[in-house]
Amino acid sequence: MAAAAPASADRVVGEWCEADGERLVIDGDVVGFNEHTVCEWSENRPEGGAFDVMVSCANIHADGQGGWVRMDERAVRLQADRDGPDEITVTVEDGQPVRFARCDG
């Protein structure tokens, strides 16, 4: 999953890093957490610097035969809010908000 370059200060597209090592990639097709969790937009990716949407997430693992296995699929509420050009706060379901910064920033 390749990260898209930031298009403007109000967009959340790109690769984001959290202080404890969590990684988040947001692009036009999917939202990805770390290496194995992939979420698909229920509709087109929201434009702008904030969104509150439902996404369909699954853990993806190699099956050892050249394919992939999707596990633990479920719909989750994903909220994101742009804190500045290089910071974003993300909340998954009813969890604690997590602040991310651009990985290359």
Side-chain angles (χ1 to χ4, degrees):
M1 176 172 37
S8 69
D10 67 341
R11 299 254 321 251
V12 294
V13 170
E15 187 171 354
W16 303 90
C17 293
E18 190 263 337
D20 291 332
E22 182 94 8
R23 294 178 75 81
L24 169 67
V25 175
I26 300 174
D27 69 23
D29 298 321
V30 296
V31 176
F33 292 91
N34 297 317
E35 296 178 12
H36 297 290
T37 303
V38 176
C39 303
E40 297 173 344
W41 302 108
S42 54
E43 299 177 11
N44 291 334
R45 180 186 49 79
E47 296 292 329
F51 56 80
D52 184 348
V53 298
M54 293 299 292
V55 292
S56 177
C57 298
N59 291 326
I60 309 292
H61 298 278
D63 67 3
Q65 300 174 355
W68 299 95
V69 176
R70 295 176 65 93
M71 300 170 50
D72 303 321
E73 291 188 59
R74 65 187 182 117
V76 299
R77 181 179 181 196
L78 180 66
Q79 298 171 282
D81 205 356
R82 194 68 185 255
D83 299 326
D86 296 320
E87 292 185 349
I88 187 174
T89 299
V90 175
T91 306
V92 178
E93 292 285 271
D94 294 326
Q96 293 295 314
V98 177
R99 179 164 285 179
F100 290 86
R102 287 223 181 261
C103 293
D104 57 1

